[in-house]
Amino acid sequence: MNDSMPLAMLGTVPTEVRNPRTTEIDVLPTLEILRLINNEDTRVPGAVAVALPQMAKVVDLEVEALRGGGRVHYFGAGTSGRLAVLDAAELPPTYGIEPGLVVAHHAGGMDAISHAIENVEDDASLGARDAGEVNAGDVAVGITASGRTPYVVGALRQAAAAGAHTVLISSNPAAAAGAEVEVHIAVDTGPEAVSGSTRMKAGTAAKLVLNAMSTAVMVRLGRTYSNLMVSMSALNSKLRGRLVKILVEATGMDAETCEAALADAAGDTRTALVSLLCDVPPGRAAEALAASGGSVREAMRTIRGDA
């Protein structure tokens, strides 16, 4: 993840500063190299913890947008963009949301996922073009270690002009673009073990932030019951078996009863769960879920309130 900017400015970005703790990394035995890297990695969760209040603000913005019919857009280049693609891609199968509600835009398109494409991250107009599908009320999240990647900055400016909420995730608390967005999640990971190799701590921080926020959004939207993935799509026999296990854990009922309920619910785990917990037919459970926006707990409250 190499965020492009004039060479003279690289030293002003925390992730580009030389790390005094790893200057001898190239003369150490393998185990000591790994210990140095691991010691640097242990600093990341604490840096993310400092940014939790800002992350909470973004989660609330994203929940509001998705409930209101809007979308969440990620913009990134290099490792940042790849992490965004990964996070967005895993949400539909894990939480059963409609594809395209959380969409990742990677500088250079899908071809740049597996192969680096030169100069695309330096093109602010490309970011603005990719942000052309962002609408008022959406949330646009830019991910860049330096906080200065032109592609990301261009996308966020275009999104703001369209009336969208804008968010920057960076490892540079002093990034000028942070003043242009509604929320700047600045995770101060400091210098990398290998100077400028921001696929390491900065990349780890970006993944932790994206994973935590998208998971919190799904929880807030009622896509879980307790800590169980009740909205997961059963794409194969292994996952279908996991869904039965989830129903067993959530209800305390035997596997045969849960498997039959899942079949009666046409494979919809939430419908089966509400049907079992509230002792109602699958059709009534499905109606309550539809009225509650898919939240199991809200659907159960509706049914029990009607009883």
Side-chain angles (χ1 to χ4, degrees), residues 29-116:
T30 302
L31 182 57
E32 292 307 311
I33 292 172
L34 294 173
R35 282 187 176 135
L36 275 182
I37 294 171
N38 181 248
N39 284 338
E40 292 301 312
D41 287 344
T42 61
R43 300 171 182 269
V44 177
V48 172
V50 174
L52 290 178
Q54 288 72 40
M55 292 166 59
K57 292 178 183 178
V58 176
V59 168
D60 290 343
L61 287 174
E62 293 182 352
V63 168
E64 180 182 11
L66 292 172
R67 282 180 175 161
R71 298 196 294 168
V72 175
H73 299 262
Y74 296 152
F75 296 92
T79 298
S80 293
R82 295 182 184 101
L83 291 171
V85 169
L86 179 64
D87 191 75
E90 291 180 339
L91 295 179
T94 305
Y95 295 106
I97 67 167
E98 180 183 340
L101 288 181
V102 179
V103 58
H105 306 267
H106 188 281
M110 296 307 294
D111 289 342
I113 299 296
S114 57
H115 302 285

Side-chain angles (χ1 to χ4, degrees), residues 104-159:
H105 306 267
H106 188 281
M110 296 307 294
D111 289 342
I113 299 296
S114 57
H115 302 285
I117 298 178
E118 296 299 324
N119 301 322
V120 289
E121 65 189 51
D122 295 333
D123 192 341
S125 65
L126 178 61
R129 187 198 71 185
D130 287 353
E133 63 183 80
V134 178
N135 298 314
D138 287 352
V139 179
V141 181
I143 308 103
T144 158
S146 69
R148 297 174 174 177
T149 303
Y151 171 84
V152 173
V153 174
L156 291 175
R157 287 174 177 167
Q158 172 61 35

Side-chain angles (χ1 to χ4, degrees), residues 179-194:
E180 297 185 35
V181 297
E182 290 182 52
V183 185
H184 181 194
I185 299 172
V187 185
D188 192 0
T189 53
E192 299 287 1
V194 175

